[in-house]
Amino acid sequence: MLVSGKPFRTIWMPDASTVRIIDQRRLPWSFDLLDLCTVAEVAHAIKDMAVRGAGLIGATAGYGMALAAREASDMAELEVLATSLVQTRPTAVNLSWAVQRQLAGIRAASFDQRVEVARTEAERIADEDAEACTAIGQHGLEIIRDIAARKPGQVVNILTHCNAGWLAFVDHGSATAPIYAAHAAGVPVHVWVDETRPRNQGARLTTWELSQQGVPHTVIADNTGGHLMQHGLVDLVITGADRVTRCGDVANKIGTYLKALAARDNNVPFYVALPSSTFDATLREGVKEIPIEQRDANEITHMEGLAADGSVQTVRIVPEGSHVVNYGFDVTPARLITGLITESGVRSA
Ligand code: MRU
């Protein structure tokens, strides 16, 4: 994807001992790259959400394991480092998927080969993520084309929640990939961007990347989607996913379930886009079984923004003493989902 017109990926290794990322905590106010040189630094970057989004968390964990292979002097030490990565965030399954994949590869090789094996596998995980997102884009494009064909000469309005874009993966994004593909193919699209409280990944990140790509969009408060759907202003919803059970229940950013309910009530198609690394075949019933992250109360009580003097400031918006609870994700049952867009095609949930 483009940053100031220049192609970029969200993560790469400039040399054998460095993982380079875009520090997403500073977007959209400033575009900064950050170098991670130890497993502890990688774990902190995931936990503190310098990197975030299921696909990118997986790719970062893959690269973290490449550093772990250099740091560990035996398999036991490597497994301790692997656990420190897995424990950073609970909901996105791509994290443990990438770590387990790396451990399996290292176990299958001789311990002497571990550094080379882990680095190669990390690059493969990142490349596969980008390739999966490209394919998701092409499959999702067909859905957008079908809708465009039913309203010739008019714009297709797509609502998305949170950031399941390029920034949440290695390239292209999942929910945004069909949008980027449609835009590139000349299909007129417009995106309703949920601001996505509490951390505002929609308002801060999805807007930023859609702007970089020149895709028309409008930011809405999280509660606006239902009203837009009632007035025929949403043609389809596409969200991402952090974990999908074998029954097709989807964990995604908190608030996704409410969008799916509103979409069902208004006959708006509701699609979820994900690479196959986000499936968790060990789980069946999403609401009961998917672990839901609870995050710091500060994300609710405070907001960060750009002050009039250009400085980034944090302000309190909830009175001292009010009790706060902050669930990061919710589960949308398969019955509310029109289809899952994966790299292999579109299937029912
Ligand atoms: O908490 P985050 O920012 O890591 O949230 C994950 C997400 O970005 C969303 O839930 C997204 O829609 C799916 S992940 C690509």
Side-chain angles (χ1 to χ4, degrees):
M1 302 306 299
L2 302 176
V3 177
S4 306
K6 204 175 134 202
F8 248 92
R9 276 188 165 197
T10 49
I11 189 164
W12 68 99
M13 278 184 102
D15 60 61
S17 56
T18 312
V19 179
R20 189 162 289 163
I21 60 163
I22 298 166
D23 188 346
Q24 298 194 22
R25 295 166 300 190
R26 299 181 52 86
L27 286 171
W29 329 121
S30 129
F31 181 79
D32 294 322
L33 302 179
L34 185 64
D35 283 351
L36 312 171
C37 301
T38 64
V39 177
E41 286 175 4
V42 171
H44 183 258
I46 299 173
K47 189 152 190 63
D48 207 42
M49 293 174 67
V51 287
R52 36 131 323 266
L56 181 56
I57 290 173
T60 307
Y63 282 116
M65 287 299 292
L67 297 186
R70 294 171 66 86
E71 276 177 43
S73 48
D74 57 31
M75 202 60 206
E77 210 179 311
L78 188 69
E79 278 170 16
V80 170
L81 292 170
T83 304
S84 74
L85 289 170
V86 171
Q87 284 174 339
T88 50
R89 294 196 66 188
T91 302
V93 74
N94 305 59
L95 174 54
S96 55
W97 168 84
V99 169
Q100 292 312 324
R101 180 168 156 172
Q102 282 280 33
L103 282 175
I106 293 165
R107 281 191 200 108
S110 78
F111 194 68
D112 289 350
Q113 294 171 309
R114 69 193 181 284
V115 173
E116 206 188 311
V117 165
R119 166 111 192 244
T120 304
E121 196 65 7
E123 301 291 5
R124 212 174 274 148
I125 289 169
D127 287 347
E128 284 176 16
D129 180 271
E131 284 155 21
C133 288
T134 309
I136 287 168
Q138 291 309 309
H139 297 305
L141 170 60
E142 293 315 310
I143 296 167
I144 298 176
R145 276 196 204 279
D146 281 352
I147 294 171
R150 279 183 256 129
K151 46 185 303 199
Q154 293 178 65
V155 169
V156 178
N157 288 300
I158 303 161
L159 185 143
T160 193
H161 189 66
C162 196
N163 174 261
W166 164 69
L167 289 165
F169 290 85
V170 175
D171 205 350
H172 304 286
S174 60
T176 53
I179 297 168
Y180 291 137
H183 183 66
V187 180
V189 286
H190 164 262
V191 185
W192 297 111
V193 179
D194 284 349
E195 59 180 344
T196 319
R197 278 284 284 150
R199 258 184 108 107
N200 289 321
Q201 292 96 327
R204 292 180 60 155
L205 303 177
T206 305
T207 50
W208 181 81
E209 58 166 271
L210 290 172
S211 299
Q212 295 290 330
Q213 215 61 28
V215 177
H217 60 277
T218 305
V219 183
I220 51 174
D222 285 336
N223 300 326
T224 309
H227 170 77
L228 295 177
M229 291 181 207
Q230 286 175 323
H231 289 271
L233 295 170
V234 181
D235 294 304
L236 87 152
V237 179
I238 312 179
T239 73
D242 294 272
R243 192 184 294 235
V244 179
T245 69
R246 62 178 185 271
C247 295
D249 294 343
V250 167
N252 194 51
K253 182 57 53 188
I254 193 82
T256 303
Y257 170 52
L258 295 178
K259 295 297 170 289
L261 286 172
R264 173 54 56 96
D265 195 44
N266 291 282
N267 291 318
V268 172
F270 186 98
Y271 285 92
V272 176
L274 67 146
S276 53
S277 51
T278 304
F279 281 109
D280 183 349
T282 67
L283 303 186
R284 210 173 80 82
E285 275 192 66
V287 174
K288 282 195 191 144
E289 297 179 65
I290 297 178
I292 299 295
E293 178 174 42
Q294 284 202 50
R295 303 193 50 81
D296 199 295
N298 277 347
E299 293 183 353
I300 306 273
T301 55
H302 291 71
M303 280 185 91
E304 186 187 83
L306 208 56
D309 66 359
S311 62
V312 177
Q313 292 192 9
T314 301
V315 295
R316 173 175 268 278
I317 58 165
V318 175
E320 295 274 6
S322 289
H323 183 63
V324 164
V325 67
N326 184 10
Y327 292 100
F329 302 87
D330 61 24
V331 172
T332 301
R335 66 188 151 78
L336 296 176
I337 297 166
T338 311
L340 302 174
I341 312 171
T342 74
E343 67 269 36
S344 329
V346 182
R347 48 165 272 199
S348 57

